[in-house]
Amino acid sequence: MHQAPLLCDTATSQLVLIDIQEKLAAAMKPAVREQLLRNTAILSQAANALGIPVVHTEQYPKGLGPTEPALAAHLHDTAIEKTCFSCYRAPDFVEQLRVNARRQIVLGGMESHVCVLQTAIQLQEHGYQVFVVEDAIASRRKTHHRNALARLRQGGIAVSMSESVLFEWLRDARHEQFRALSKLIR
């Protein structure tokens, strides 16, 4: 039986950022919001530099507003709009994953216990290898966030950290992007 790799890999990864929108972000505690914005910006900048596709969604943007400007500055594609909680239920999302043709998904976004959880589970059910980045997801309540992480781990979904993902993508301090990207985490 073939076992999926346990490390994130630049050749097979795509970064998915879920619903990091102004009104939803404003509902987060300031420290939680700042951590999420900092770490998703690090991941998106690293993905861009390394040629890793980035897909981002917006949950009902008419009500929750656009993607946070601090993050939007690092995103090059139009957001995939949705009303379903699991991104996997949005046909445009599934089509974009298919076009990118990469089976390893690195997930960040909001909220941990709703859209991130449902998306991660459905991606795994459809044969994707999923890495949820613990310090790049958030919920309004700490108990909801902790419960989501526990459920993800119970379901066999890898939970990682933004710095771990960055260095897994780089693999070696001799990587041509090491200097530039390691500055992002200082």
Side-chain angles (χ1 to χ4, degrees):
M1 182 170 126
H2 174 72
Q3 182 177 340
L6 297 177
L7 298 175
C8 296
D9 188 275
T10 56
T12 59
S13 285
Q14 52 186 313
L15 176 63
V16 172
L17 300 175
I18 301 171
D19 308 343
I20 305 172
Q21 295 163 256
E22 288 179 332
K23 290 183 182 176
L24 191 52
M28 301 295 153
K29 291 186 170 125
V32 170
R33 179 177 55 249
E34 292 310 310
Q35 175 181 279
L36 174 111
L37 290 174
R38 177 183 186 274
N39 292 325
T40 54
I42 288 168
L43 291 170
S44 59
Q45 289 174 77
N48 290 335
L50 297 168
I52 296 168
V54 180
V55 178
H56 71 289
T57 65
E58 291 178 348
Q59 176 74 21
Y60 186 63
K62 288 178 187 162
L64 295 176
T67 298
E68 269 284 325
L71 178 61
H74 307 294
L75 303 174
H76 306 303
D77 293 329
T78 303
I80 296 170
E81 294 185 16
K82 64 183 187 64
T83 56
C84 47
F85 300 119
S86 170
C87 295
Y88 203 84
R89 296 194 58 211
D92 291 345
F93 177 81
V94 174
E95 177 61 16
Q96 188 58 60
L97 295 187
R98 189 191 65 71
V99 167
N100 292 343
R102 292 172 177 230
R103 301 300 295 177
Q104 193 176 77
I105 309 291
V106 176
L107 278 182
M110 299 189 279
E111 284 194 73
S112 309
H113 65 294
V114 184
C115 297
V116 173
L117 175 74
Q118 289 184 34
T119 300
I121 289 170
Q122 284 210 293
L123 284 167
Q124 184 184 53
E125 288 172 350
H126 287 89
Y128 287 90
Q129 182 186 20
V130 182
F131 289 82
V132 173
V133 186
E134 182 173 346
D135 60 352
I137 63 171
S139 291
R140 287 166 290 143
R141 292 186 181 87
K142 196 179 278 190
T143 55
H144 292 167
H145 181 74
R146 281 195 305 257
N147 179 262
L149 291 168
R151 287 189 62 197
L152 290 163
R153 286 182 174 111
Q154 287 167 351
I157 293 169
V159 177
S160 192
M161 301 297 279
S162 56
E163 194 168 325
S164 296
V165 170
L166 174 66
F167 287 112
E168 287 170 30
W169 282 343
L170 290 171
R171 296 287 169 102
D172 194 309
R174 293 177 301 203
H175 190 287
E176 63 184 17
Q177 292 288 338
F178 175 77
R179 274 196 133 120
L181 295 180
S182 63
K183 288 179 184 175
L184 296 173
I185 59 169
R186 289 190 187 134

